[in-house]
């Protein structure tokens, strides 16, 4: 079965810096990969989707890359703000739109 | 902005009891899901539902669980004979169409089995 690893359990950075989060997967390359944000006690919130034929996707201060050779996606937040502090989840569709989530990376942006 | 709603926000039940968790997906969405998240662990897929039937279910979703769309707006998850290990946050999600991919999650129901 598909496994997803988000290498960093926690990441602390200073406000204004770029946060880079990593998602690695095993087995087959998915047709697309998604990133979600989860705040404590809340449901995940969709951020970005990148397809297998896309190398990079951007939305405001967010950027996602997808390398099917490395089986890896990188998620970047530029000019980070304390309000960006949350857990970020990588998710793959394992069939009929059922998502398999990684364990997440907890980002803390220090003012 | 339309959103998925879930009730109750917190449910406490005794082991062996049945619980029903309720969700109201976004009105024009066609695909519905239940996920759970045990405290400190990852979000896990339970079941997907489309066209009034289960599309896919995980190995977690055994005979103890059932889902239903009793009317045009509600989507429910029933857990029979609850166990201590069923304690978790249960999230409902909906998706507009098969090509939209983006899932909208509700705020969750925290289930505590004592």
């Amino acid at each position: 079965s598909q496994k997803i690893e988000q290498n960093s359990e926690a990441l602390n950075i200073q406000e204004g810096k770029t946060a880079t989060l990593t998602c690695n997967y095993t087995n087959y390359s998915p047709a697309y990969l998604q990133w979600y944000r989860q705040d404590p006690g809340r449901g995940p919130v969709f951020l970005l989707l990148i397809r297998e034929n896309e190398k990079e996707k951007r939305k405001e201060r967010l950027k996602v890359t997808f390398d099917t050779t490395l089986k890896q996606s990188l998620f970047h937040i530029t000019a980070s703000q304390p309000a960006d502090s949350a857990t970020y989840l990588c998710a793959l569709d394992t069939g009929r739109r059922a998502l398999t989530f990684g364990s997440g990376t907890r980002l803390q942006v220090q003012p | 902005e339309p959103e998925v709603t879930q009730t109750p926000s917190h449910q406490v039940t005794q082991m062996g009891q049945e619980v029903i968790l309720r969700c109201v997906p976004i009105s024009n969405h066609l695909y519905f899901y239940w996920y759970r998240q045990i405290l400190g662990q990852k979000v896990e897929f339970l079941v997907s539902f489309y066209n009034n039937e289960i599309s896919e279910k995980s190995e977690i979703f055994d005979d103890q669980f059932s889902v239903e769309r009793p009317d045009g707006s509600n989507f429910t998850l029933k857990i029979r004979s609850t166990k201590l290990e069923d304690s978790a946050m249960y999230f409902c999600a909906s998706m507009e169409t098969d090509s939209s991919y983006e899932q909208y999650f509700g705020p969750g129901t925290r289930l505590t089995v004592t």
Side-chain angles (χ1 to χ4, degrees):
Chain A
S1 62
Q2 186 73 280
K3 290 185 180 177
I4 303 169
E5 292 177 356
Q6 293 189 248
N7 293 352
S8 302
E9 192 174 308
L11 180 65
N12 292 302
I13 62 169
Q14 287 295 122
E15 183 176 6
K17 300 292 186 183
T18 296
T20 298
L21 286 63
T22 305
C23 174
N24 293 287
Y25 58 91
T26 61
N27 302 337
Y28 63 90
S29 281
Y32 59 90
L33 182 148
Q34 302 184 40
W35 285 88
Y36 285 77
R37 168 181 173 144
Q38 186 176 28
D39 289 283
R42 308 294 299 273
V45 175
F46 173 81
L47 295 175
L48 277 170
L49 177 149
I50 187 165
R51 300 174 192 274
E52 62 179 339
N53 60 350
E54 297 174 318
K55 295 291 185 190
E56 182 179 297
K57 198 83 167 276
R58 290 176 186 262
K59 179 182 175 182
E60 298 173 354
R61 294 184 295 111
L62 308 180
K63 185 178 87 171
V64 172
T65 62
F66 194 9
D67 189 327
T68 54
T69 302
L70 293 178
K71 295 189 178 180
Q72 182 180 83
S73 174
L74 299 179
F75 177 81
H76 307 270
I77 305 176
T78 58
S80 59
Q81 304 166 0
D84 295 327
S85 299
T87 297
Y88 291 87
L89 309 176
C90 170
L92 300 180
D93 181 342
T94 55
R96 302 197 187 195
R97 309 294 179 255
L99 293 178
T100 295
F101 284 89
S103 53
T105 297
R106 190 172 64 253
L107 174 67
Q108 186 70 40
V109 181
Q110 306 288 348
Chain B
E1 185 176 329
E3 57 183 21
V4 176
T5 59
Q6 291 186 242
T7 54
S9 56
H10 191 188
Q11 174 88 49
V12 181
T13 189
Q14 287 192 325
M15 198 166 52
Q17 297 297 305
E18 174 182 289
V19 294
I20 297 176
L21 310 182
R22 302 179 193 280
C23 168
V24 178
I26 295 173
S27 62
N28 63 332
H29 285 195
L30 301 178
Y31 293 80
F32 313 116
Y33 305 85
W34 283 102
Y35 293 83
R36 79 172 186 190
Q37 186 173 32
I38 296 170
L39 188 62
Q41 297 188 24
K42 60 178 70 174
V43 177
E44 300 175 289
F45 167 75
L46 293 178
V47 66
S48 59
F49 192 86
Y50 169 72
N51 200 26
N52 281 321
E53 61 182 25
I54 291 174
S55 301
E56 185 152 343
K57 59 185 180 179
S58 71
E59 55 193 30
I60 302 170
F61 193 89
D62 58 22
D63 293 343
Q64 184 194 6
F65 296 88
S66 62
V67 290
E68 194 179 28
R69 187 152 164 84
D71 52 43
S73 59
N74 291 283
F75 180 51
T76 62
L77 174 69
K78 181 188 290 185
I79 310 175
R80 287 180 281 275
S81 189
T82 50
K83 299 177 275 199
L84 293 176
E85 53 265 38
D86 294 327
S87 295
M89 195 76 154
Y90 288 80
F91 294 109
C92 173
S94 68
M95 185 174 74
E96 187 175 4
T97 68
D98 193 42
S99 57
S100 57
Y101 303 118
E102 176 181 344
Q103 294 189 20
Y104 291 80
F105 284 75
T109 292
R110 178 166 299 285
L111 176 66
T112 302
V113 182
T114 61

